[in-house]
Amino acid sequence: MADYLSLPDADFDRFFKFMNEYVEGKCTGAQPVWPHIPQAARTAMADACTVWAAAFAKTAGPHTPVDTEAKNDAKEAAKRVIRPFVNQYLRYPPVTDEDRTAMGIPKHDTKPTPVPAPEDVPEVAASTPLPRVLRFNFRRLGAKRWGKPAHVHGMELAWVIADAPPAETEGLLHSSFSTSSPLELTFKESERGKRVYYAARWETGTVKKGNFSEIFSAVVP
């Protein structure tokens, strides 16, 4: 199958702009048709489109070799944003084959390989960069760099402010989620000095959840 992103510049420009408009239209409004795509992911794709469009526009008339190189770099950078976005959010329901055809995205196997629930748990390190803020860096256990591993969409942090640790993770009443490390929580002034108990687990793009880590704690600075 030909690479759907191997397009002449003008065709790539139309494709990229239309896909952004199409996705945004499906993800906004009082009752979005596609509620599964985070705003941060859409913003990253829109930003890449803006950079590409500006670089491409400079080559529409007389231009320098530097302009051409900048345009080519912007195109490659855009592709690096588009591919994971499409594979993460546009390959499966609620996105339909009709949607993919409209956007110019080829249909893949209708029976994709099931993605199992994560078997490992995140390693989380809490820090206090600012008053009232707890920062949680996360990574795969034993990894050298902070960040999510390739097999998951992000990390869920379950937490609660309490005088004593809950006996089970069900007692962690609040839930926060992040697709990139770190995750930050900002607390009220009245909550400074209180202890936050938390546990973390991985979550796939198809919302399959792994097991929670042990329950740890940190004090709101």
Side-chain angles (χ1 to χ4, degrees), residues 132-153:
R132 301 189 296 112
V133 174
L134 284 177
R135 175 179 294 167
F136 300 91
N137 279 289
F138 56 88
R139 62 187 174 190
R140 193 169 194 170
L141 188 64
K144 293 182 179 180
R145 297 183 178 180
W146 297 108
K148 66 172 185 172
H151 70 295
V152 303
H153 178 48

Side-chain angles (χ1 to χ4, degrees), residues 93-171:
V95 182
T96 66
D97 282 344
E98 289 76 12
D99 292 319
R100 284 181 281 273
T101 298
M103 289 183 286
I105 298 170
K107 294 179 286 187
H108 277 197
D109 189 349
T110 57
K111 294 182 180 179
T113 303
V115 178
E119 295 182 355
D120 56 336
V121 298
E123 176 185 352
V124 181
S127 59
T128 55
L130 295 168
R132 301 189 296 112
V133 174
L134 284 177
R135 175 179 294 167
F136 300 91
N137 279 289
F138 56 88
R139 62 187 174 190
R140 193 169 194 170
L141 188 64
K144 293 182 179 180
R145 297 183 178 180
W146 297 108
K148 66 172 185 172
H151 70 295
V152 303
H153 178 48
M155 182 201 73
E156 177 189 6
L157 189 83
W159 58 275
V160 69
I161 294 178
D163 295 329
E168 303 290 342
T169 53
E170 286 76 8

Side-chain angles (χ1 to χ4, degrees), residues 68-90:
T68 299
E69 185 176 358
K71 180 264 299 178
N72 292 339
D73 289 345
K75 189 174 186 180
E76 291 306 310
K79 290 180 181 181
R80 291 194 294 271
V81 174
I82 294 169
R83 291 188 197 281
F85 184 94
V86 169
N87 292 335
Q88 185 77 53
Y89 302 113
L90 304 182

